[in-house]
Amino acid sequence: NAGVTQTPKFQVLKTGQSMTLQCAQDMNHEYMSWYRQDPGMGLRLIHYSVGAGITDQGEVPNGYNVSRSTTEDFPLRLLSAAPSQTSVYFCASSYSWAGELFFGEGSRLTVL
Amino acid sequence: SQELEQSPQSLIVQEGKNLTINCTSSKTLYGLYWYKQKYGEGLIFLMMLQKGGEEKSHEKITAKLDEKKQQSSLHITASQPSHAGIYLCGADIEGGANSKLTFGKGITLSVRP
């Protein structure tokens, strides 16, 4: 099984550019989430979804949009990138909200 | 998140030594998860604890959740270089449906050969 797949692994953007981080899982998990990891800050929840068509904000949602049109995919969109969004982004999924999270390998984003 | 405090922030131990790291919350931990991360890589699930007083072990790593369900400890026996990495605790501190995991800032463990 591929598990949780994130693309791209690395990306450099200029301020104001837009992009989408892709996340796909093949485990038929209902719960998917996006975290960002910054030095000294740990993992912070950006957005999450408890099923197709349902999304909600996490701890740091500003500047990010998500959608969940299928069970498998949960893309994260940056509409106008800012240097403060330079970070490592992790997508995760689980069978339920109380279950073990399976993480992707991360996407390292640099905004100049 | 400051709702989960991990201590110490970092730790350097000599290979073969035992060590304990902690994860503390002022709120009830409805589910407590320990993850390990190698630098530049994703997170690997270690253990999950849900019941007060629960203890689980895997190889040389033992995790406990206290009776009050507000603190968890992770103990490594006879540490090895392979144990080096960042250890993060994540917890459901809200309970109920549609809650989510909140993570601590992580503890960086270095093991000297």
Side-chain angles (χ1 to χ4, degrees):
Chain A
N1 286 339
V4 179
T5 303
Q6 289 182 234
T7 57
K9 285 187 170 50
F10 300 94
Q11 182 73 48
V12 178
L13 291 177
K14 294 181 180 179
T15 297
Q17 286 185 316
S18 63
M19 78 156 299
T20 299
L21 297 176
Q22 302 290 346
C23 177
Q25 52 89 11
D26 61 358
M27 297 173 281
N28 201 33
H29 286 168
E30 291 294 329
Y31 186 96
M32 296 186 74
S33 52
W34 277 102
Y35 290 86
R36 59 177 288 174
Q37 186 177 35
D38 303 290
M41 301 296 290
L43 282 173
R44 292 183 291 171
L45 182 64
I46 304 171
H47 284 285
Y48 67 102
S49 168
V50 298
I54 306 169
T55 63
D56 205 348
Q57 297 181 349
E59 184 183 355
V60 287
N62 292 341
Y64 307 94
N65 282 347
V66 292
S67 60
R68 185 92 180 273
S69 56
T70 67
T71 299
E72 294 78 20
D73 301 298
F74 190 44
L76 179 72
R77 298 183 184 86
L78 286 72
L79 298 179
S80 180
S84 60
Q85 294 178 304
T86 293
S87 187
V88 181
Y89 292 85
F90 287 97
C91 178
S93 74
S94 65
Y95 179 74
S96 72
W97 59 268
E100 170 195 347
L101 281 176
F102 291 80
F103 283 86
E105 293 185 349
S107 298
R108 186 175 295 273
L109 175 67
T110 301
V111 183
L112 302 175
Chain B
S1 167
Q2 295 181 350
E3 292 173 313
L4 280 180
E5 294 287 339
Q6 290 192 248
S7 61
Q9 278 191 328
S10 62
L11 192 58
I12 302 173
V13 299
Q14 197 70 33
E15 182 177 359
K17 295 294 186 182
N18 302 336
L19 65 106
T20 300
I21 57 178
N22 297 295
C23 178
T24 304
S25 173
S26 58
K27 300 180 180 180
T28 299
L29 304 172
Y30 292 96
L32 189 287
Y33 301 76
W34 282 101
Y35 287 85
K36 179 187 174 186
Q37 183 183 27
K38 290 282 193 183
Y39 180 76
E41 298 180 9
L43 282 75
I44 299 169
F45 172 77
L46 294 176
M47 277 173 273
M48 177 182 73
L49 304 166
Q50 288 187 306
K51 299 177 183 177
E54 187 175 8
E55 179 177 320
K56 288 186 177 178
S57 294
H58 177 67
E59 296 181 342
K60 295 185 178 181
I61 300 176
T62 300
K64 300 178 184 179
L65 182 61
D66 74 344
E67 289 289 344
K68 289 185 177 180
K69 295 173 63 175
Q70 288 185 304
Q71 183 174 24
S72 177
S73 61
L74 188 95
H75 182 80
I76 298 176
T77 303
S79 58
Q80 300 169 352
S82 61
H83 289 128
I86 301 171
Y87 289 80
L88 293 104
C89 66
D92 171 11
I93 57 174
E94 297 176 9
N98 299 338
S99 62
K100 52 226 179 266
L101 281 191
T102 297
F103 282 86
K105 294 182 179 181
I107 295 170
T108 301
L109 172 64
S110 302
V111 180
R112 288 181 174 164

